Amino acid sequence: DTGVSQDPRHKITKRGQNVTFRCDPISEHNRLYWYRQTLGQGPEFLTYFQNEAQLEKSRLLSDRFSAERPKGSFSTLEIQRTEQGDSAMYLCASSKIGTGQETQYFGPGTRLLVL
Amino acid sequence: AQRVTQPEKLLSVFKGAPVELKCNYSYSGSPELFWYVQYSRQRLQLLLRHISRESIKGFTADLNKGETSFHLKKPFAQEEDSAMYYCALSGRSNTGKLIFGQGTTLQVKP
């Protein structure tokens, strides 16, 4: 297993367009997290799934953002009607709970630039 | 409010010098504290957590509940320690979500 993967690695879009990012967690990891990181800041929590259930969403996650994890494996994060303020690095992390201490393993991120 | 503060954006030391990366937190309850590291062109990875009370790559961190701090220390810095370091906390409510500080860049000069 090569770890958490994210696709695409980079995305440039025009304001108002929709974008979708994909995250493939480490196999058998039952939790999947999305974070957003802007320049000079640490990652900020957006939402997380346990299996296919979305259990928590941050207030940062406006109505334009939606995340899914339909079969409890990969997840998608969609941003509708993108704004320049959405430009950031979007990080995905996965973990396995129930086998001791939880450790989140991060993907390489998707860097979004909204023009 | 839940918050993690890393007061230094950049810490520059010479090889062999002691290192202390500061982290203060605000949390109403008993959080779990972590240090994550990101080396150049690599992904974010866990360095250590307070519960384990272990030394990783020569780094240690002690949770001081009275001062609400979790400073990261290493007695003798190495050039390969140069990286971005993030302090993070997780509440004990079993959500697992991490709250990160702004990060500190550690630069170890030869």
Side-chain angles (χ1 to χ4, degrees):
Chain A
D1 192 291
T2 56
V4 178
S5 61
Q6 293 187 243
D7 184 70
R9 296 291 304 279
H10 304 272
K11 179 72 177 177
I12 301 174
T13 190
K14 293 183 179 178
R15 190 177 51 177
Q17 299 294 304
N18 300 342
V19 294
T20 300
F21 309 142
R22 177 179 169 124
C23 171
D24 285 90
I26 294 170
S27 57
E28 299 184 356
H29 275 196
N30 43 20
R31 278 194 177 169
L32 189 149
Y33 298 82
W34 286 100
Y35 294 86
R36 180 173 67 186
Q37 186 174 21
T38 52
L39 206 59
Q41 301 296 317
E44 295 174 294
F45 169 80
L46 293 178
T47 187
Y48 90 101
F49 295 82
Q50 185 160 316
N51 300 312
E52 63 274 7
Q54 188 174 17
L55 296 187
E56 186 173 347
K57 292 195 292 187
S58 164
R59 281 171 288 179
L60 290 174
L61 216 62
S62 75
D63 291 345
R64 297 184 297 106
F65 287 71
S66 62
E68 294 183 341
R69 194 183 184 199
K71 297 181 181 178
S73 57
F74 73 92
S75 175
T76 58
L77 177 69
E78 182 184 17
I79 309 174
Q80 296 182 326
R81 304 181 304 281
T82 52
E83 301 173 356
Q84 288 184 327
D86 297 331
S87 296
M89 175 76 87
Y90 290 83
L91 295 168
C92 175
S94 72
S95 67
K96 186 171 185 179
I97 61 163
T99 57
Q101 296 168 356
E102 180 185 5
T103 298
Q104 293 185 32
Y105 294 85
F106 282 81
T110 295
R111 186 172 293 282
L112 172 66
L113 177 61
V114 181
L115 301 176
Chain B
Q2 303 172 15
R3 186 168 55 244
V4 175
T5 303
Q6 294 178 250
E8 302 141 327
K9 273 194 173 292
L10 171 66
L11 183 63
S12 185
V13 302
F14 285 102
K15 177 182 170 183
V19 169
E20 183 178 48
L21 297 166
K22 292 185 174 8
C23 172
N24 289 90
Y25 67 90
S26 172
Y27 185 80
S28 55
S30 296
E32 188 172 357
L33 274 295
F34 305 82
W35 276 98
Y36 276 79
V37 62
Q38 187 166 26
Y39 300 102
S40 179
R41 297 188 182 85
Q42 294 187 28
R43 59 188 69 188
L44 199 57
Q45 59 185 285
L46 177 67
L47 179 62
L48 55 78
R49 68 179 84 213
H50 89 270
I51 282 180
S52 301
R53 303 182 70 84
E54 57 192 345
S55 173
I56 304 291
K57 299 185 179 184
F59 285 98
T60 58
D62 290 318
L63 180 60
N64 186 323
K65 291 184 179 179
E67 296 182 358
T68 58
S69 68
F70 188 56
H71 303 326
L72 183 68
K73 300 177 185 179
K74 184 169 183 176
F76 308 104
Q78 302 299 313
E79 289 181 67
E80 55 265 31
D81 296 329
S82 296
M84 176 70 88
Y85 291 80
Y86 294 97
C87 182
L89 74 78
S90 175
R92 302 267 187 155
S93 60
N94 202 34
T95 70
K97 74 178 183 185
L98 294 169
I99 298 168
F100 286 88
Q102 304 94 314
T104 298
T105 299
L106 175 63
Q107 183 183 74
V108 181
K109 296 177 286 189

